[in-house]
Amino acid sequence: MQYKISLSAFWLVGFLAFSVLLLSTPNLSAQTAEELQNRILEKDQDISRLEAEIAKYQNELNSLSKQKSSLAGSIKELDITRRKLATDILVTEKKIEKTSLMIGTLSSDIGNKEKSIRNNQESIKLDIRRTHELETQSILEIILAGDDFTVVWNDIDNIASVRQRLRTQIVRLQETKLGLEDTRAITVATKDEFDGLKIQLAAQQKIVVQNKNEKNKLLTQTKNNEANYQKLLKDRIAKREALEKELQDYEAQLRFILDPSTLPSAGVLSWPLDSIFVTSPYGPRWGGYHRGVDFRAAVGTPVKAAADGTVKGAGDTDICCPGASFGKWILIEHNNGLSSTSAHLSLISVMEGQKVTRGQIIGYSGNTGSSTGPHLHFSVYVSSGVKVDSFESKSYPGIILVQPISALKAYLEPMYYLPPYKN
């Protein structure tokens, strides 16, 4: 019987060595791990401080929303929103800096693991060479040739010891390589987060510009006069209510037969916002019927796709009918038989025909269209009963409204298809 290392071990060593060559990554930071962790902790503290400041601004906005609408109140709301948006940008910038530091930390960890793999490979090579030397002769030949049986048994023990050490080193090498692959996967995810934050930062900067333009437009329209503001507000409310009545009557005439067997089960959608607070449920409201659910959402809050699907349309009703209907909206046809509209947005981040995935940012909440304050309106329909269509309103003569239009019977209770909600 001979003590020979198995061919599978040699193949394993070769495969691991080749894998390491393929997975090489440059070190992104010369800083020590401790320095990086301290800087990450500083960023976390900065983010917490800024988020507390944002919460203060939000409380002020919530208080203003309960007051009677006035020009001074609207200007104050826009100013507080501007300060909040500026702080939102600072938070995003801090998150970008933190994520960059995390990438540096992960890169350092990758470098350490690669070094450990190289050291293990060298040790394995030496033990393979040693094993080969010891196993060149059979045990019987060693015994017959030896004058001292103590030396013979020591040689046998050495063979067993080297083989055991070799097995241990191979296991360690496998574990380190798996750890390296996990770290690389985390690095890729962190880099994706970094790219997403940069996109979010650019969007927030656009919303700040919109906020400034909105304030200037309001001052121009009202000539900074309260009486002019109230007249403008009264006119918009009258047109809005007339349009909503016309649109509801139109949708009531659309024929649709609902087949309950085609509907998915409850809870198939995910929340369109990270933080959920319902401000107006689905059902009767203000003498009419609210065919959707409203969520509290400050201007600039990321809005996400509730499920995988395709963007069937995106638009802005304020272009044709200022202060009416959905404002900036997105209609998504999901892959489960449902469709959803996100409305009153400040910014749209997707385009018609685009494929989206659950949780993907599709836009940012706002106060556009028929909205008495910043929030997200979310409607759910049977996909076969809704489409982007045009509607000519008498309230806005000569203007064609384009938006999601659905048979009334195709509207569904959104909360049934969303996760359980506790107020």
Side-chain angles (χ1 to χ4, degrees), residues 47-265:
I47 290 168
S48 296
R49 175 178 55 80
L50 291 169
E51 286 179 339
E53 190 175 330
I54 288 171
K56 184 185 71 173
Y57 289 137
Q58 189 57 54
N59 286 336
E60 290 182 52
L61 291 170
N62 293 342
S63 177
L64 277 175
S65 67
K66 298 174 184 177
Q67 299 176 17
K68 182 180 178 181
S69 184
S70 66
L71 178 60
S74 295
I75 296 299
K76 186 176 181 180
E77 181 179 348
L78 287 167
D79 286 340
I80 295 173
T81 299
R82 176 182 53 78
R83 292 198 291 272
K84 178 192 168 297
L85 287 169
T87 311
D88 284 340
I89 287 174
L90 287 176
V91 168
T92 304
E93 288 174 340
K94 294 296 181 183
K95 286 181 178 179
I96 288 173
E97 293 168 7
K98 175 188 171 182
T99 308
S100 180
L101 291 170
M102 289 174 64
I103 291 172
T105 301
L106 290 165
S107 176
S108 177
D109 189 28
I110 287 171
N112 292 336
K113 284 185 170 66
E114 288 176 339
K115 183 178 179 181
S116 175
I117 287 173
R118 287 193 293 271
N119 291 339
N120 272 300
Q121 285 178 310
E122 290 303 316
S123 297
I124 288 172
K125 287 178 184 177
L126 290 174
D127 280 343
I128 289 173
R129 193 177 298 118
R130 177 62 176 153
T131 303
H132 178 69
E133 292 171 357
L134 291 171
E135 294 179 345
T136 301
Q137 294 177 298
S138 68
I139 293 178
L140 180 59
E141 289 171 337
I142 293 172
I143 294 173
L144 293 177
D147 296 325
D148 187 344
F149 279 99
T150 301
V151 174
V152 172
W153 290 120
N154 284 342
D155 286 341
I156 294 172
D157 286 342
N158 284 339
I159 293 173
S161 177
V162 171
R163 284 174 61 83
Q164 180 57 44
R165 188 166 66 244
L166 187 59
R167 281 194 292 267
T168 301
Q169 288 167 341
I170 289 173
V171 170
R172 187 180 298 123
L173 186 61
Q174 288 175 308
E175 291 173 347
T176 305
K177 181 178 178 295
L178 289 173
L180 178 63
E181 291 172 349
D182 289 343
T183 305
R184 288 193 187 285
I186 295 170
T187 303
V188 170
T190 306
K191 286 180 177 177
D192 288 343
E193 181 183 350
F194 179 79
D195 292 339
L197 286 169
K198 288 195 293 184
I199 293 171
Q200 182 172 326
L201 178 62
Q204 289 171 329
Q205 290 168 338
K206 289 180 182 177
I207 295 169
V208 168
V209 174
Q210 288 181 2
N211 173 266
K212 181 179 179 181
N213 292 340
E214 187 178 348
K215 178 181 177 179
N216 291 336
K217 182 179 178 181
L218 182 60
L219 289 172
T220 300
Q221 288 177 327
T222 62
K223 297 179 181 179
N224 201 16
N225 179 278
E226 179 64 28
N228 292 339
Y229 173 80
Q230 292 297 332
K231 183 177 182 300
L232 177 67
L233 184 64
K234 183 178 180 181
D235 180 59
R236 283 193 173 180
I237 291 174
K239 284 187 174 181
R240 181 189 71 201
E241 291 178 348
L243 175 64
E244 289 177 355
K245 176 68 168 59
E246 288 181 287
L247 187 57
Q248 178 171 298
D249 290 344
Y250 178 75
E251 289 186 323
Q253 297 173 23
L254 298 177
R255 291 188 176 184
F256 178 77
I257 298 176
L258 174 63
D259 179 1
S261 67
T262 64
L263 296 177
S265 58

